[in-house]
Amino acid sequence: MWNRQVSDWPSHRTRSLAAAFVSMALALVAVPLVAQTGTVTGRVIDSRSGVPITTAQITIPGTSLGAAVDADGRFRIVNVPPGSHEVRARSIGYQPATAAVSVAADGSASVTLSLNQSATALDAVLITGAVGDTRRRAIGNAVSTVSVSDVIGKGSVSNITEVLQSKVPGLTLMPGSGEAGTSTNYRLRGAGSLYAGNNPTIYVDGVRVNSRGQGNYTVFGQNTSSLDAINPNDIESIEVIKGPAAATLYGAEAAAGVIQIITKRGQPGRIRWDARYETGKSWWPESMRPINYAVSTAARIADPVNYPGFVGTQVGDIVSHRVMSEPDALRDGGVRRASLSASGGGDRYSFFVSGARDNEQGVNFNNYSKLGSLRGNFSFVPSSKLSFNTNLSYAQNHVRLPLNDNIAFGLIISSWLAIPGRAYPYPAGLNYFTILPSVANTYDNQTRSDRFIVGTSAEYKPVPWFGNKFRVGLDMNIGRAELYFPPQPAGLDPFSARASFDLVNTKGFIAQGRPLNQDFTINYDGTITRELSSSLVSNSSFGVQFLSNAYHRTDAYGQDLGSLGIRSVSAAAVTTGGEQDTTQKSIGFYIQQQAAWRDRLFLTGAVRVDNNSAFGSKLDHVFYPKASLSWVVSEEPFFHLPAVDQLRLRFAWGQAGNSPGPFDAIRSYTTSVVTGATGTSSALRYASVGNSDLRPERGSEIELGFESSLAGGRLGLETTYYNKTTRDALLQVAVPPSTGFAGTQLQNLGKISNTGWEVLFNATPLRRTPLTIQTTLSFATNHNKLVSFGDDRAPIIFGDYAPVQRYQEGFPLAAYWAQRVQYDANGNVVKNAAGQPVIDPVSVYMGPSVPTKEVGFSTDFIVFERLRLHSLFDYKGGHYMFNVKDWRRDRAQLSWATVNPQANPDEVLARMFAAENWYDIQKADFLKLRDLSLSYDLPASFVGRFADHATLMLAGHNLRVWTKYGGADPELNFNGGTSTFNRNDSWTVPTPRQYTFSVALGF
């Protein structure tokens, strides 16, 4: 079965598109060059150790020429016009270096560039949230940049979540499950909204992309991820701006932060090919699955038909069983990934094309994720004043999810709550109380999608002081969801109707959905740069952004299919359907003024005005201002601090919005079918009450910090403090009956605060030819609080299994509150006349439901610049989790805590009491060994005949967790990436352990 699933390589259409991309690139390379030119060759090395820097990018300023270095740090640039030129080398972690060369016609020049380490790249150009002077030194807010090629070069990465995990201080990633193809909840600097959403806005090369699910049918918890359609091997870097102080220029789309994904571009020069193949396996360790216990009783011993596991036992004996230990319950999931890319270019063009295939099996037999992707990025520079960039990507995604999470017919709950040794009636069986693995594995819920992300931009500089940039882009996701139940023999009903939208499925059932999501982006940015004096430079910027999101979905349902093998709604005896359609548009204009004093003191002010279709014609416009200051104080003549190479101080203040959904402000209507005495007809009814006075939530943030490079670039420290407040937070309010409507509407009432610290520390304590040691430490805190509801109301209490979470003034959003039985003065449980515990009417505050502090720590040991040992540890703490699995096992008297003969009888009674949950709302602090890898770069003498470089890597992922939490994995949440606040560790697959082996080639 494994070979059959993972060998599904690209279809004919995929191969054709790949061939088209590569053919286009090769055609570009064939453009003849007739002018007499020269060649520049050289090498880039570390100034301290003399070892080659293999990540350097080479450019010749004033031209479009450039190159990337090879595995020995060498480069070659052809078609260089005769004359004097400046050659510049850049690499992350180093200060840029330049050298002058003179090139003769048909001649060559050689140069060696030595780079000095730098923990802060002040001259790095940023893309996200910046216009005018976009160098890091000019930006007054924190921008986190992740070099994706560096991450991939150190470990096994399958999606964007794994790229970002533990890399960005302030970014909390909460994966809901270890099932293949499921989504993750992203949160930047805490939650700032109760109802308008807390997920950051995602852009790919300046095009806003959809981050919702792929449109799968519910499995009662987990959701698919649309971000999985983006191949990490295609990404150059990811920039993260974390709140309103930085995101003002994105207006009403950015209060929760912005993540910009920047894909790779080609470099002028010869065609460079890169290939990577990876294979491995993942599994659910036995140690992460509990043992169920049961006490042998006379009744069980006397009933061998229903309790065969108790045969031969004595009264009082304890029978045990490790859950899901049967061979058809779990498997070792296979992992196979392959990618191939080509890049290059000429004097006025460059290209990057790629193709990849990723097949991953989950530990459940009916869980897998298959992804095929193609990309083509093309740049054309017809003149020094004009340039064009076009980015094309296509991805095919196919995910199958098992039935788990919050339904009784999932395999995990069936095993976790089964009395060991008991044989339950079909579709259950021995050690499974609702459904057997052989039956559960037939559940068929599949989602396919075709995703296109297309963007093109043009930069035009008619005069040196006036720059213009135009961008237009489209993200289109075409989904195909299908849920299928074959007809069952008469009298059998293995899956309840709840699994099929409360429609009977015993005679066969099929649901087919067609979700279509389109995000359209149009941007214009203009900047006028004037040198007002030898010390003062002005950058005046202005622009407009138009965003449109259209979502359409049709669903058709068929019952009574008549025969096995029929998977057509039209062939069903009973059919129904549904349709939904939403569109939301926004437009924003901004102006920004930036003043630079002696290229080290930068003052920026900006304002954006927005309008959004969610508010209908009622809202005319909303203003979002910002201001920032950046001071590279280390470049001042008076600055003399020992061991401090660079020091930048920064301050930023800004506001951004968070718009509600398309129908939250507008009153809308729909139709229902009404059956009367004379037949059926359509009747009009309201769909949403709306609120014409609704406004966007407004986030306001102050951010201040510094960045420093110390000890000759061997140490780097970046520190940020933020204080973020959301006003006009949306809250649900009951609609007065006098209006003629029922239900609730959203109103702007609440106030929410988030404060915290973010620290990033980089160190290279040793850099020598035999050994280099590199470490990175990231640290972040977040203190979240609901300051005020804005009206007089009681706490909002909620929970999927018990009333354990609350929105309450003065406490974190969705914090945990436990219900506990009463104890008398002697510490004994208070009981009623029936001998049952009495619950304490006052709930106990436990703590936040999301981490309040996070630490990431990575270390690299590099021996002779060839052998690398990499490790990444991830700590999250200060929060709690509701351990539903053990809560239910306690109630069913299956846990050791409830069958242990030495246990306190009062504690056993309390644990088995359904209203008691104090024991199972547990501290969820943990330390995980996220990644451990060993890689080796083969010697050039060995690979030189067929490649420029080759790297072998053995990598492990999620190898160990240290925690006092009672469950298997404190990161779990059955609601998956779709839930902002409801958090429960229930019937969900934990993140599996994984080992892979990979080979990477460059030629």
Side-chain angles (χ1 to χ4, degrees):
M1 180 178 293
W2 184 82
N3 288 328
R4 175 176 60 82
Q5 292 186 359
V6 301
S7 60
D8 182 17
W9 292 88
S11 63
H12 174 73
R13 173 173 55 174
T14 306
R15 292 193 298 270
S16 299
L17 285 170
F21 277 143
V22 175
S23 298
M24 188 182 303
L26 294 177
L28 288 170
V29 175
V31 176
L33 299 168
V34 296
Q36 286 188 329
T37 57
T39 301
V40 175
T41 61
R43 192 168 187 242
V44 184
I45 60 173
D46 181 279
S47 63
R48 183 181 296 272
S49 64
V51 300
I53 299 174
T54 60
T55 57
Q57 298 288 334
I58 313 301
T59 59
I60 298 180
T63 75
S64 59
L65 300 175
V69 299
D70 62 18
D72 195 36
R74 300 185 184 277
F75 64 90
R76 184 171 184 265
I77 304 175
V78 298
N79 304 319
V80 180
S84 298
H85 297 280
E86 184 182 81
V87 180
R88 173 171 292 184
R90 293 174 178 268
S91 181
I92 293 177
Y94 290 87
Q95 297 178 12
T98 60
V101 297
S102 181
V103 181
D106 296 324
S108 65
S110 181
V111 64
T112 297
L113 294 157
S114 299
L115 302 190
N116 296 315
Q117 279 185 268
S118 173
T120 59
L122 294 182
D123 291 319
V125 175
L126 303 176
I127 294 176
T128 311
V131 292
D133 189 342
T134 59
R135 294 173 300 164
R136 183 180 293 273
R137 65 167 56 228
I139 309 301
N141 52 265
V143 180
S144 295
T145 303
V146 178
S147 173
V148 180
S149 57
D150 183 58
V151 174
I152 293 175
K154 295 178 180 179
S156 175
V157 172
S158 63
N159 52 52
I160 292 174
T161 297
E162 292 180 357
V163 169
L164 294 173
Q165 189 74 263
S166 306
K167 311 294 192 311
V168 179
L171 173 61
T172 301
L173 302 177
M174 296 179 285
S177 163
E179 292 169 358
T182 53
S183 60
T184 295
N185 184 273
Y186 286 45
R187 187 176 294 180
L188 283 163
R189 292 181 174 173
S193 176
L194 280 77
Y195 293 102
N198 289 283
N199 289 326
T201 303
I202 312 292
Y203 285 80
V204 176
D205 294 321
V207 177
R208 189 183 67 170
V209 299
N210 163 43
S211 59
R212 71 175 78 185
Q214 298 277 27
N216 60 286
Y217 283 118
T218 180
V219 291
F220 299 89
Q222 301 307 311
N223 194 16
T224 53
S225 171
S226 61
L227 293 180
D228 284 353
I230 303 171
N231 177 19
N233 289 287
D234 292 343
I235 303 173
E236 180 70 31
S237 62
I238 299 177
E239 294 181 356
V240 181
I241 57 177
K242 305 168 188 175
T248 299
L249 296 184
Y250 292 96
E253 304 288 332
V258 176
I259 297 177
Q260 177 91 245
I261 298 168
I262 302 148
T263 61
K264 293 178 179 178
R265 296 176 181 269
Q267 293 291 329
R270 68 181 181 89
I271 298 179
R272 178 183 178 87
W273 295 85
D274 288 286
R276 182 183 176 99
Y277 178 78
E278 186 173 13
T279 185
K281 72 170 187 176
S282 60
W283 74 100
W284 184 349
E286 182 181 89
S287 60
M288 296 177 70
R289 289 176 276 122
I291 297 174
N292 276 354
Y293 301 91
V295 178
S296 183
T297 64
R300 290 171 174 174
I301 295 172
D303 188 359
V305 174
N306 291 313
Y307 294 90
F310 291 81
V311 173
T313 65
Q314 303 295 319
V315 173
D317 287 351
I318 295 178
V319 176
S320 63
H321 175 71
R322 175 83 67 179
V323 302
M324 299 182 74
S325 57
E326 292 73 19
D328 58 348
L330 297 171
R331 65 178 175 185
D332 290 345
V335 177
R336 184 178 295 179
R337 306 184 183 106
S339 64
L340 176 66
S341 67
S343 63
D347 183 20
R348 298 195 177 277
Y349 67 91
S350 64
F351 68 90
F352 171 84
V353 293
S354 71
R357 185 69 180 179
D358 187 330
N359 288 309
E360 180 180 354
Q361 293 179 324
V363 296
N364 290 111
F365 282 89
N366 55 346
N367 174 219
Y368 55 77
S369 174
K370 303 177 183 181
L371 175 67
S373 65
L374 296 171
R375 172 168 291 277
N377 292 346
F378 305 96
S379 299
F380 178 51
V381 186
S383 72
S384 60
K385 297 180 178 181
L386 182 63
S387 64
F388 297 95
N389 291 284
T390 298
N391 306 302
L392 312 170
S393 71
Y394 167 70
Q396 273 187 345
N397 204 6
H398 181 193
V399 177
R400 183 175 179 180
L401 295 179
L403 189 63
N404 267 322
D405 303 317
N406 188 30
I407 189 169
F409 285 85
L411 190 57
I412 297 177
I413 187 175
S414 180
S415 177
W416 250 254
L417 297 187
I419 297 173
R422 179 176 177 180
Y424 295 84
Y426 183 87
L430 182 63
N431 298 320
Y432 290 89
F433 98 105
T434 59
I435 196 165
L436 284 164
S438 58
V439 181
N441 293 339
T442 66
Y443 177 76
D444 193 354
N445 187 329
Q446 301 185 46
T447 308
R448 295 172 173 85
S449 67
D450 294 277
R451 187 169 193 176
F452 302 84
I453 303 177
V454 181
T456 186
S457 64
E459 294 189 43
Y460 179 53
K461 233 177 183 180
V463 289
W465 49 267
F466 186 23
N468 301 270
K469 187 169 185 177
F470 306 85
R471 181 184 294 110
V472 61
L474 173 67
D475 172 30
M476 181 167 65
N477 194 79
I478 306 169
R480 290 162 291 158
E482 183 175 279
L483 176 63
Y484 172 71
F485 295 88
Q488 298 294 324
L492 297 184
D493 184 11
F495 296 96
S496 69
R498 183 169 180 245
S500 50
F501 313 104
D502 294 320
L503 300 173
V504 176
N505 57 53
T506 54
K507 295 183 179 181
F509 175 88
I510 188 167
Q512 293 181 339
R514 296 293 184 267
L516 172 63
N517 190 89
Q518 298 179 85
D519 280 278
F520 190 56
T521 304
I522 300 177
N523 264 67
Y524 166 74
D525 300 298
T527 297
I528 297 173
T529 302
R530 305 296 288 178
E531 190 172 323
L532 303 180
S533 71
S534 60
S535 301
L536 183 61
V537 176
S538 165
N539 284 286
S540 303
S541 302
F542 48 90
V544 59
Q545 181 185 58
F546 172 78
L547 299 171
S548 172
N549 171 258
Y551 179 75
H552 180 79
R553 179 172 182 132
T554 57
D555 290 276
Y557 311 96
Q559 295 174 267
D560 193 350
L561 301 180
S563 174
L564 291 170
I566 295 178
R567 300 178 75 115
S568 170
V569 174
S570 62
V574 180
T575 60
T576 54
E579 184 175 10
Q580 53 182 306
D581 200 341
T582 63
T583 301
Q584 189 165 358
K585 301 177 182 180
S586 68
I587 188 167
F589 302 87
Y590 75 87
I591 56 173
Q592 174 178 291
Q593 180 60 49
Q594 183 185 73
W597 177 259
R598 294 181 177 176
D599 202 37
R600 52 181 177 259
L601 181 63
F602 302 85
L603 178 64
T604 304
V607 65
R608 170 164 170 150
V609 58
D610 255 23
N611 204 345
N612 193 297
S613 64
F615 303 101
S617 59
K618 182 73 174 180
L619 185 73
D620 292 329
H621 46 258
V622 180
F623 289 92
Y624 300 108
K626 87 166 202 176
S628 69
L629 177 69
S630 174
W631 185 18
V632 187
V633 65
S634 58
E635 296 182 1
E636 295 289 356
F638 61 78
F639 184 86
H640 299 287
L641 281 181
V644 179
D645 309 314
Q646 294 178 335
L647 176 63
R648 180 170 80 104
L649 308 179
R650 47 182 170 77
F651 167 83
W653 167 83
Q655 296 184 341
N658 196 1
S659 294
F663 297 110
D664 289 332
I666 303 171
R667 180 164 296 174
S668 62
Y669 297 85
T670 186
T671 59
S672 294
V673 176
V674 178
T675 301
T678 59
T680 60
S681 61
S682 295
L684 189 68
R685 65 176 179 85
Y686 75 90
S688 62
V689 178
N691 178 3
S692 61
D693 295 323
L694 208 61
R695 303 180 304 277
E697 296 181 329
R698 180 177 292 269
S700 180
E701 182 180 53
I702 294 175
E703 174 189 302
L704 54 91
F706 69 88
E707 298 163 15
S708 61
S709 178
L710 312 168
R714 287 180 295 174
L715 304 176
L717 178 62
E718 179 179 338
T719 302
T720 302
Y721 169 78
Y722 65 89
N723 189 321
K724 181 172 66 172
T725 301
T726 301
R727 291 178 172 83
D728 292 336
L730 298 174
L731 287 165
Q732 290 183 340
V733 178
V735 177
S738 59
T739 63
F741 293 89
T744 62
Q745 66 176 187
L746 292 178
Q747 293 185 13
N748 297 99
L749 295 172
K751 181 180 178 181
I752 302 165
S753 72
N754 286 275
T755 61
W757 289 88
E758 297 163 356
V759 178
L760 183 64
F761 176 73
N762 296 297
T764 307
L766 182 64
R767 182 183 285 272
R768 293 289 185 267
T769 300
L771 177 64
T772 297
I773 301 175
Q774 299 171 335
T775 63
T776 299
L777 175 69
S778 64
F779 171 76
T781 66
N782 175 259
H783 299 285
N784 172 268
K785 183 170 69 173
L786 174 59
V787 178
S788 171
F789 280 123
D791 60 5
D792 185 17
R793 68 172 68 195
I796 300 173
I797 302 173
F798 60 95
D800 293 298
Y801 296 93
V804 296
Q805 290 184 266
R806 294 186 182 187
Y807 303 136
Q808 182 164 328
E809 291 182 348
F811 292 89
L813 292 174
Y816 281 116
W817 300 72
Q819 289 77 53
R820 191 180 188 186
V821 299
Q822 289 186 10
Y823 291 84
D824 61 23
N826 297 319
N828 299 315
V829 171
V830 177
K831 305 180 183 68
N832 59 21
Q836 293 295 315
V838 176
I839 202 75
D840 194 321
V842 179
S843 297
V844 180
Y845 172 69
M846 303 298 288
S849 58
V850 296
T852 62
K853 49 184 179 289
E854 302 183 51
V855 179
F857 179 71
S858 67
T859 305
D860 291 85
F861 295 91
I862 307 168
V863 181
F864 290 107
E865 294 297 319
R866 295 195 179 280
L867 184 67
R868 177 191 292 267
L869 177 64
H870 169 74
S871 63
L872 173 63
F873 290 87
D874 181 17
Y875 168 79
K876 290 181 171 61
H879 64 301
Y880 288 74
M881 172 60 78
F882 185 21
N883 187 348
V884 174
K885 291 191 185 82
D886 284 353
W887 180 61
R888 291 292 305 274
R889 289 175 67 241
D890 283 347
R891 288 169 53 187
Q893 204 173 0
L894 298 171
S895 65
W896 180 249
T898 56
V899 302
N900 181 4
Q902 307 301 318
N904 184 314
D906 272 359
E907 180 182 332
V908 172
L909 186 64
R911 285 180 175 274
M912 295 179 61
F913 188 49
E916 157 82 36
N917 47 55
W918 182 81
Y919 286 102
D920 296 298
I921 298 177
Q922 302 167 351
K923 286 188 68 67
D925 299 38
F926 69 85
L927 175 67
K928 275 193 176 184
L929 177 54
R930 290 282 184 192
D931 293 297
L932 182 65
S933 67
L934 182 67
S935 61
Y936 180 68
D937 294 333
L938 296 176
S941 59
F942 180 79
V943 301
R945 290 173 294 178
F946 60 90
D948 294 334
H949 73 269
T951 301
L952 308 179
M953 181 187 298
L954 179 65
H957 190 54
N958 289 312
L959 297 182
R960 182 73 187 273
V961 58
W962 292 270
T963 182
K964 294 182 179 180
Y965 177 71
D969 190 343
E971 282 192 294
L972 291 182
N973 183 24
F974 92 76
N975 281 294
T978 61
S979 174
T980 298
F981 294 114
N982 294 67
R983 295 194 59 77
N984 305 276
D985 174 10
S986 57
W987 320 112
T988 304
V989 175
T991 305
R993 292 180 183 172
Q994 186 180 97
Y995 282 109
T996 62
F997 174 77
S998 65
V999 180
L1001 300 174
F1003 49 92

